[in-house]
C-alpha cells in the first residue's frame, strides 16, 4: 500500500538552529516527490519536486534531498518567517495520484 | 494572474442542506482536483478532472458531486451535508496530465462547518 509518513509531527527551533524534516515513503513506482509549505489559514504553496534518488534542490534556507525510501527537507539557519507546516507528497504510478503525509509543523522562535 | 480562487472562504451549514463550493483558475490548466484537509489525516483527494467534460473519483468521493463544463471552473457540490463533512476544502490545478507527476497549485481553501 502506498504510504507517506512525516516526522516529527512538530518541531520547535531557535532562530539560527539548523535541522531536518523527514518524509518516509512506500510507493509502487515513484513518479515524483513534492514538498509544500502551508501557512495557517492558507492553501499549500509549492516548494520543490524531486524525481530520482540522489537529486537535490535548494531555495534560500531550504534544501530537499531524495533517496529511494525517504526525503529530507534541511533548514539552515532558520528565521521566524520559516514557521509553517511543511507537507510532503508522493506521486504513485500504481494509483496515478498524489499521497500526502500529515505534515510537520515548524515553529522558529527569535 | 489570480491563480486558483475559491469561494466562499467560510461557510456554516445545517445537516441536510446542500451547497456548491466554487473553484476557478486562470492559468489554462487542464487538470483540476478537490481535496479535503482534516486534522491528523493529511490532504485527501475527493474528485478530479483531466479536462472539460471529464471527471473521476478520488479517495473520498461519497457525498460529493463535481462537473467540469469549462477549463476554468470546477465546482464541488455537497448534496446533503453531514457533520462528517466539516473540513477545510482545497481546490488545486496543474498544467499537465498527471496528478502524480505535475506540480499542483492550490487555492486558499474553504472552511466548512456542518452543524
Amino acid at each position: 500500500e502506498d504510504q507517506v509518513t512525516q516526522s516529527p509531527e512538530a518541531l520547535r527551533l531557535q532562530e539560527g538552529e539548523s535541522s531536518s524534516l523527514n518524509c518516509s515513503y512506500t510507493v509502487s513506482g515513484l513518479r515524483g516527490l513534492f514538498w509544500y509549505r502551508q501557512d495557517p489559514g492558507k492553501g499549500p504553496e509549492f516548494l520543490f519536486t524531486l524525481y530520482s534518488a540522489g537529486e537535490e534542490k535548494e531555495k534560500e534556507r531550504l534544501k530537499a534531498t531524495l533517496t529511494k525510501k525517504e526525503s529530507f527537507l534541511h533548514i539552515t539557519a532558520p528565521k521566524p518567517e520559516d514557521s509553517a507546516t511543511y507537507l510532503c507528497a508522493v506521486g504513485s504510478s500504481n494509483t496515478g495520484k498524489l499521497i500526502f503525509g500529515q505534515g510537520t509543523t515548524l515553529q522558529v522562535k527569535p | 494572474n489570480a491563480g486558483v480562487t475559491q469561494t466562499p472562504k467560510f461557510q456554516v451549514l445545517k445537516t441536510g442542506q446542500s451547497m456548491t463550493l466554487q473553484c476557478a483558475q486562470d492559468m489554462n490548466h487542464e487538470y483540476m482536483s478537490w481535496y479535503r484537509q482534516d486534522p491528523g489525516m493529511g490532504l485527501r483527494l475527493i474528485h478530479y478532472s483531466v479536462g472539460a467534460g471529464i471527471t473521476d473519483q478520488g479517495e473520498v468521493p461519497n457525498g460529493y458531486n463535481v462537473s467540469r463544463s469549462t477549463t476554468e471552473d470546477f465546482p464541488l457540490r455537497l448534496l446533503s451535508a453531514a457533520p462528517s463533512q466539516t473540513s477545510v476544502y482545497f481546490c488545486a490545478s496543474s498544467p499537465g496530465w498527471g496528478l502524480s507527476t505535475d506540480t499542483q497549485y492550490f487555492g486558499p481553501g474553504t472552511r466548512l462547518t456542518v452543524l
Side-chain angles (χ1 to χ4, degrees):
Chain A
E1 181 184 349
D2 298 335
Q3 195 168 0
V4 178
T5 303
Q6 290 187 247
S7 61
E9 285 187 19
L11 182 62
R12 283 187 176 183
L13 299 173
Q14 287 296 127
E15 183 172 4
E17 180 186 2
S18 301
S19 188
S20 297
L21 281 55
N22 178 263
C23 172
S24 297
Y25 64 89
T26 304
V27 65
S28 55
L30 178 69
R31 302 292 297 276
L33 186 139
F34 302 82
W35 281 100
Y36 286 86
R37 169 191 170 127
Q38 186 174 23
D39 293 301
K42 298 197 174 179
E45 177 186 347
F46 170 73
L47 291 173
F48 304 109
T49 309
L50 302 168
Y51 289 106
S52 57
E55 191 175 355
E56 299 182 351
K57 288 197 176 170
E58 289 187 65
K59 181 180 180 180
E60 296 181 358
R61 294 175 293 282
L62 300 177
K63 179 180 177 180
T65 62
L66 180 64
T67 72
K68 289 187 177 180
K69 293 184 178 180
E70 57 192 350
S71 176
F72 290 95
L73 185 65
H74 306 278
I75 303 176
T76 302
K79 297 182 178 181
E81 53 262 42
D82 294 322
S83 298
T85 296
Y86 291 86
L87 303 174
C88 170
V90 296
S92 167
S93 63
N94 182 37
T95 64
K97 297 179 177 63
L98 275 180
I99 303 107
F100 280 86
Q102 296 177 346
T104 294
T105 299
L106 173 66
Q107 184 180 29
V108 182
K109 296 203 165 187
Chain B
N1 260 0
V4 180
T5 58
Q6 293 183 237
T7 56
K9 194 166 180 62
F10 300 95
Q11 183 70 49
V12 179
L13 292 177
K14 294 181 179 179
T15 298
Q17 287 184 316
S18 62
M19 78 158 294
T20 299
L21 279 62
Q22 301 293 342
C23 174
Q25 52 92 8
D26 61 359
M27 298 175 283
N28 201 32
H29 286 174
E30 290 293 332
Y31 207 106
M32 296 185 75
S33 50
W34 276 101
Y35 291 86
R36 61 178 289 174
Q37 188 175 39
D38 303 291
M41 298 290 290
L43 283 157
R44 291 182 293 168
L45 182 65
I46 304 172
H47 285 286
Y48 64 98
S49 169
V50 300
I54 307 169
T55 64
D56 205 348
Q57 295 182 351
E59 183 185 356
V60 287
N62 292 341
Y64 308 95
N65 269 0
V66 291
S67 60
R68 183 99 179 267
S69 56
T70 67
T71 299
E72 295 78 19
D73 300 298
F74 190 42
L76 178 72
R77 296 184 194 82
L78 278 69
L79 309 173
S80 177
S84 60
Q85 294 178 304
T86 294
S87 187
V88 182
Y89 291 85
F90 291 102
C91 179
S93 73
S94 62
W97 287 91
L99 228 183
S100 61
T101 57
D102 290 306
T103 299
Q104 293 194 60
Y105 298 89
F106 286 83
T110 294
R111 185 175 296 272
L112 176 68
T113 301
V114 183
L115 303 176

